[in-house]
Amino acid sequence: MQLRNKDILGIKDLDRDEIELILDTAESLKWVSNRDIKKVPTLRGKTIINLFFEASTRTRTSFEIAGKRMSADVINISASSSSAVKGETLIDTAKNLQAMSPDIIVVRHGSSGAPQIISGAVKASVINAGDGCHEHPSQSLLDLLTIRQVKGQIEGLRIAIIGDIKHSRVARSNIYALTKMGAQVVVAGFPTLLPPEIEKMGASIRKTLDEAIIDADVIMMLRIQKERMTGPYFPTEREYSMLFGLNAKRLKSAKSDVTIMHPGPVNRGVEISPEVADGPYSVILEQVANGVAIRMALLYLLSGRKHEESRKEARDENNN
Ligand code: CP
């Protein structure tokens, strides 16, 4: 089985079989990261460009590590070091990068839809590494892998996503992914941070944090995305934390085998207390570790697809 599309632009475009293929492929590639010599020749000769217009620690580093562990040539470009600062348009940047024949371009951008625009301008595969408030598909896939690892399955679980849903591309991708995989998703947050379309996406709204977490198998806490806020969405961080911050006392009302997740970066003491973030139920660092495996799987599957396509092109040429 292969991925149907040239790009990974969002979970919305993937079906359940494709999600399972990515998770299984990531699982089968994990061993590379667990041995002394963390390198295999799988992507030798492939060129991957990481084009990041927004800050990132986990996503950019893990895409770079993923490519290098499979012997690809990986080039990192950040907005501040690109000709975007001189006024070059996104499409011109994309076309100029395409002229250098990359195989995959990984894009993070502050504008929703930027990876789609690049995808239309290039032959290379495009992976969305987070676009505005739209989607963050590779984060969602690593979250699914972590849940499957800890709970054994995703189907039938109840997942509570708490916090700034409105500005969260992680929440959107996870609502699509978890519902496709047969989980039930509940969300809670300040009313100003709950977009009305969220229920149409398949999630149900709970008024309080306690109502959302009481029967949850997994609790995903989200950061307040101040960089995307244009006005005050809640009175103070202290009040936000009192109502929607997860601490050890509130966690007592959750299930005894609950799993705590957070995509990072964590604002300790705001949406999650340090004792919960570092506590026994937290799998935050397992999420980060799984990020490398998922990104290896995405690079591998998209490269394989291109390999098949070029073989088909060569066959067609021979037949003509
Ligand atoms: N979760 C996530 O996207 O983290 P970074 O912003 O550090 O990449």
Side-chain angles (χ1 to χ4, degrees):
M1 190 194 158
Q2 284 193 2
L3 298 175
R4 285 173 301 142
N5 298 318
K6 155 176 111 63
D7 310 303
I8 302 283
L9 300 178
I11 297 289
K12 200 176 179 186
D13 307 326
L14 298 173
D15 63 27
R16 184 173 172 153
D17 285 346
E18 288 176 300
I19 293 173
E20 273 168 4
L21 172 69
I22 295 166
L23 301 185
D24 292 344
T25 306
E27 203 73 66
S28 74
L29 289 167
K30 265 189 190 168
W31 65 274
V32 177
S33 298
N34 295 333
R35 59 184 210 164
D36 280 348
I37 298 172
K38 299 176 182 61
K39 211 169 189 69
V40 288
T42 320
L43 297 187
R44 197 163 52 197
K46 299 285 180 187
T47 305
I48 296 161
I49 297 179
N50 286 329
L51 179 59
F52 276 59
F53 291 90
E54 270 193 345
S56 169
T57 296
R58 283 147 286 267
T59 312
R60 198 198 60 77
T61 310
S62 58
F63 266 115
E64 182 175 356
I65 288 177
K68 287 183 170 170
R69 288 204 175 147
M70 293 192 292
S71 302
D73 296 312
V74 183
I75 290 93
N76 294 309
I77 305 175
S78 61
S80 58
S81 63
S82 79
S83 285
V85 293
K86 300 177 196 163
E88 186 169 58
T89 66
L90 185 62
I91 289 192
D92 277 341
T93 300
K95 284 181 176 168
N96 279 272
L97 292 176
Q98 179 60 52
M100 296 178 233
S101 305
D103 296 284
I104 300 177
I105 302 177
V106 179
V107 189
R108 170 168 287 192
H109 202 285
S111 295
S112 301
Q116 281 84 345
I117 290 172
I118 292 181
S119 161
V122 301
K123 208 173 156 206
S125 291
V126 175
I127 302 179
N128 178 3
D131 63 328
C133 304
H134 176 226
E135 279 226 40
H136 192 349
S138 64
Q139 175 68 46
S140 168
L141 290 162
L142 73 87
D143 289 342
L144 295 193
L145 186 64
T146 309
I147 294 171
R148 201 173 75 165
Q149 209 169 279
V150 176
K151 300 291 190 193
Q153 62 177 58
I154 298 167
E155 176 131 35
L157 294 180
R158 186 186 288 258
I159 320 286
I161 307 181
I162 316 285
D164 181 0
I165 310 290
K166 182 180 174 69
H167 301 104
S168 176
R169 51 201 182 200
V170 177
R172 293 175 77 83
S173 286
N174 266 324
I175 293 169
Y176 285 133
L178 289 162
T179 51
K180 280 181 196 218
M181 299 301 287
Q184 223 190 324
V185 182
V186 301
V187 296
F190 248 81
T192 48
L193 296 172
L194 291 176
E197 74 268 15
I198 214 75
E199 284 183 303
K200 286 196 199 121
M201 290 172 63
S204 24
I205 293 176
R206 299 280 181 275
K207 283 202 176 73
T208 65
L209 180 141
D210 297 319
E211 280 175 60
I213 68 170
I214 194 156
D215 50 4
D217 299 292
V218 175
I219 304 172
M220 275 186 199
M221 298 306 296
L222 299 176
R223 179 175 68 87
I224 303 167
Q225 311 242 330
K226 281 190 201 152
E227 70 274 26
R228 302 192 204 290
M229 291 184 178
T230 49
Y233 282 84
F234 48 86
T236 62
E237 271 188 11
R238 194 154 161 261
E239 277 150 311
Y240 179 94
S241 188
M242 275 166 57
L243 290 171
F244 290 100
L246 186 63
N247 57 33
K249 190 171 165 216
R250 302 188 94 167
L251 194 55
K252 282 189 184 142
S253 63
K255 282 181 158 181
S256 58
D257 63 346
V258 73
T259 297
I260 308 295
M261 302 177 76
H262 192 305
V266 169
N267 281 329
R268 287 167 179 267
V270 182
E271 73 273 6
I272 190 166
S273 68
E275 78 266 24
V276 175
D278 303 329
Y281 304 103
S282 167
V283 292
I284 294 173
L285 294 178
E286 283 88 336
Q287 289 174 261
V288 178
N290 282 332
V292 175
I294 282 293
R295 283 149 188 151
M296 285 173 80
L298 294 178
L299 298 175
Y300 172 77
L301 290 167
L302 290 179
S303 297
R305 194 177 177 280
K306 284 174 69 69
H307 192 58
E308 281 301 311
E309 272 174 6
S310 46
R311 276 212 289 227
K312 185 176 174 300
E313 275 168 22
R315 273 199 309 271
D316 290 348
E317 251 171 48
N318 285 341
N319 292 339
N320 287 337

